């Protein structure tokens, strides 16, 4: 977890460093221990009012692909600077006509130990065709929990930020300020 101040500094750096004509708006800068993801809004394609849903979908996908190819070199230059400065991989994404697309992003391995009942849940998802492996099944479970507990997770993250602020005010805090907070990723 990074603090709100670190998140603000990160977003500010990208807002100042990105070329003015790259995005209509910088929508979100998300960071964790492995990666920073930068998401901006791009203009949707201009279509006739009577365009079908299939035509709209294809046009949006085409616009996203065109943006990705056209801006690759400038995004890579910014990413190289950011990766050197923040020591995290940088990933990119866009919002276009209400759709979000991520280009490249880190799929970080996570080690866990599961007991038999938990493994059986994963194996049931595999047998049911929901996933091809235990790894995919576990990722599916995490996405399901995330979808149904966003409010709770947001409250938990806010609480963790509060704990970090209180720790920073505690005894010896002046000595520890040169070191990043645990899990802060060196921001």
């Amino acid at each position: 977890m990074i603090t709100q101040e670190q998140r603000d500094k990160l977003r500010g750096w990208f807002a100042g460093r990105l070329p003015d004509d790259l995005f209509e708006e910088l929508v979100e800068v998300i960071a964790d221990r492995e990666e920073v993801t930068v998401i901006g809004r791009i203009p949707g394609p201009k279509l006739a009012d009577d365009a079908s849903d299939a035509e709209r979908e294809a046009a949006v996908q085409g616009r996203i692909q065109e943006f990705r190819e056209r801006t690759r070199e400038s995004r890579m230059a910014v990413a190289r600077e950011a990766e050197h400065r923040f020591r995290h991989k940088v990933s990119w994404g866009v919002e276009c006509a209400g759709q979000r697309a991520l280009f490249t992003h880190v799929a970080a391995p996570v080690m866990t130990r599961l007991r038999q009942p938990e493994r059986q849940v994963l194996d049931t998802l595999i047998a049911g065709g929901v996933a091809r492996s235990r790894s995919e099944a576990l990722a599916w479970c995490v996405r399901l929990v995330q979808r149904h507990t966003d409010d709770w997770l947001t409250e938990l993250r806010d609480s963790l930020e509060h704990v970090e602020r209180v720790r920073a005010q505690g005894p010896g805090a002046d000595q520890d300020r040169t070191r990043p907070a645990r899990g802060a990723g060196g921001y």
Side-chain angles (χ1 to χ4, degrees):
M1 296 297 302
I2 66 171
T3 65
Q4 185 62 46
E5 180 182 354
Q6 291 166 328
R7 195 174 297 121
D8 291 345
K9 285 180 180 180
L10 189 63
R11 182 180 173 88
W13 187 87
F14 277 99
R17 177 56 185 88
L18 292 174
D20 288 337
D21 61 345
L22 186 66
F23 297 126
E24 285 184 330
E25 175 187 2
L26 179 60
V27 175
E28 196 170 16
V29 177
I30 308 163
D32 67 10
R33 293 180 195 179
E34 290 82 26
E35 166 183 41
V36 174
T37 303
V38 179
I39 300 171
R41 183 169 294 113
I42 62 173
K46 294 182 174 127
L47 298 167
D49 291 338
D50 62 345
S52 69
D53 289 343
E55 182 179 355
R56 288 184 190 286
E57 174 71 22
V60 168
Q61 292 306 313
R63 175 60 52 93
I64 291 169
Q65 188 62 35
E66 183 276 333
F67 172 85
R68 183 179 184 185
E69 292 171 9
R70 177 175 44 84
T71 63
R72 181 173 280 121
E73 286 192 32
S74 62
R75 288 184 296 104
M76 287 174 60
V78 172
R80 276 191 297 275
E81 284 182 47
E83 288 171 5
H84 178 74
R85 180 183 183 105
F86 301 114
R87 293 184 173 90
H88 280 62
K89 285 295 193 188
V90 175
S91 300
W92 299 91
V94 295
E95 285 185 0
C96 181
Q99 292 186 30
R100 182 174 278 200
L102 297 177
F103 300 153
T104 54
H105 46 101
V106 175
V110 178
M111 178 63 77
T112 186
R113 296 183 189 281
L114 301 175
R115 300 200 185 284
Q116 188 177 35
E118 295 147 345
R119 293 190 310 267
Q120 286 174 335
V121 169
L122 300 181
D123 293 342
T124 301
L125 292 172
I126 294 167
V130 173
R132 293 178 296 192
S133 66
R134 284 181 172 175
S135 177
E136 278 186 17
L138 187 56
W140 184 89
C141 291
V142 169
R143 286 190 302 272
L144 183 65
V145 168
Q146 179 186 19
R147 186 176 309 132
H148 293 291
T149 59
D150 275 341
D151 293 339
W152 181 82
L153 288 172
T154 298
E155 188 175 335
L156 180 60
R157 286 184 190 108
D158 291 344
S159 295
L160 290 170
E161 287 179 15
H162 178 72
V163 167
E164 289 297 325
R165 284 193 302 273
V166 171
R167 279 186 188 151
Q169 297 169 3
D174 292 336
Q175 298 166 356
D176 294 339
R177 288 206 174 131
T178 58
R179 289 183 290 157
R182 184 174 26 185
Y187 289 98

